[in-house]
Amino acid sequence: MGFDSMEKTLERIAKANDGYPPYNIERIHGDGTAGSPERLRITLAVAGFSEDDLDVTTEENQLVIRGRQIETGERDYLHRGIAARQFQRTFVLADGMQVLGAELRNGLLSVDLVRPEPVKMVKKINISVPE
């Protein structure tokens, strides 16, 4: 997932997953004056999951988000429409993409990604002159 091939990557991701949990991917434009770079934000709807139920990792060039809820046998449901469903979402990251952080708020897990600007290196090459 990168800024240049966004549409192709999104199509590949949509075909590979079953749709749970639903998610958004948005581009957040950088603020040129403050120096913050343009970034991507992946937001997953994870209602009912706590911070301890979620795991966000990077494995090689993939962002992997897992959710596991532990069933408690203490409740006697008359109707159960909200299942304690486990999930794993995988997003393929483009070369150089880095995860800035993750935040869980109001049942939404947001993961911010950035592609840092390449550092321009100038290297002085000595010229040798045979005597």
Side-chain angles (χ1 to χ4, degrees):
M1 174 173 299
F3 296 111
D4 45 349
S5 60
M6 178 73 71
E7 289 181 20
K8 290 179 185 177
T9 303
L10 292 178
E11 289 174 12
R12 186 175 53 220
I13 290 170
K15 291 177 185 175
N17 291 309
D18 68 352
Y20 179 79
Y23 65 92
N24 292 333
I25 300 176
E26 62 184 305
R27 182 188 319 257
I28 300 173
H29 297 284
D31 183 5
T33 58
S36 62
E38 183 178 67
R39 62 188 194 271
L40 295 178
R41 176 172 290 157
I42 301 173
T43 304
L44 286 85
V46 292
F49 287 84
S50 70
E51 178 184 357
D52 295 333
D53 298 332
L54 297 167
D55 186 37
V56 180
T57 59
T58 54
E59 300 171 11
E60 297 187 22
N61 67 333
Q62 296 182 359
L63 171 67
V64 180
I65 303 171
R66 293 180 181 92
R68 293 180 195 87
Q69 288 181 316
I70 299 171
E71 287 282 337
T72 57
E74 302 168 3
R75 296 182 178 180
D76 184 21
Y77 292 100
L78 299 177
H79 170 75
R80 180 136 190 209
I82 304 172
R85 184 174 174 188
Q86 296 185 14
F87 71 87
Q88 177 174 314
R89 274 271 185 204
T90 303
F91 299 91
V92 178
L93 301 177
D95 290 337
M97 292 295 289
Q98 296 177 350
V99 177
L100 289 178
E103 179 182 40
L104 179 63
R105 182 187 307 162
N106 298 328
L108 298 174
L109 174 66
S110 297
V111 180
D112 285 352
L113 306 167
V114 68
R115 177 180 293 176
E117 291 293 323
V119 177
K120 295 181 181 180
M121 292 179 39
V122 176
K123 183 178 178 182
K124 173 78 172 154
I125 309 297
N126 292 327
I127 302 171
S128 62
V129 179
E131 292 183 30

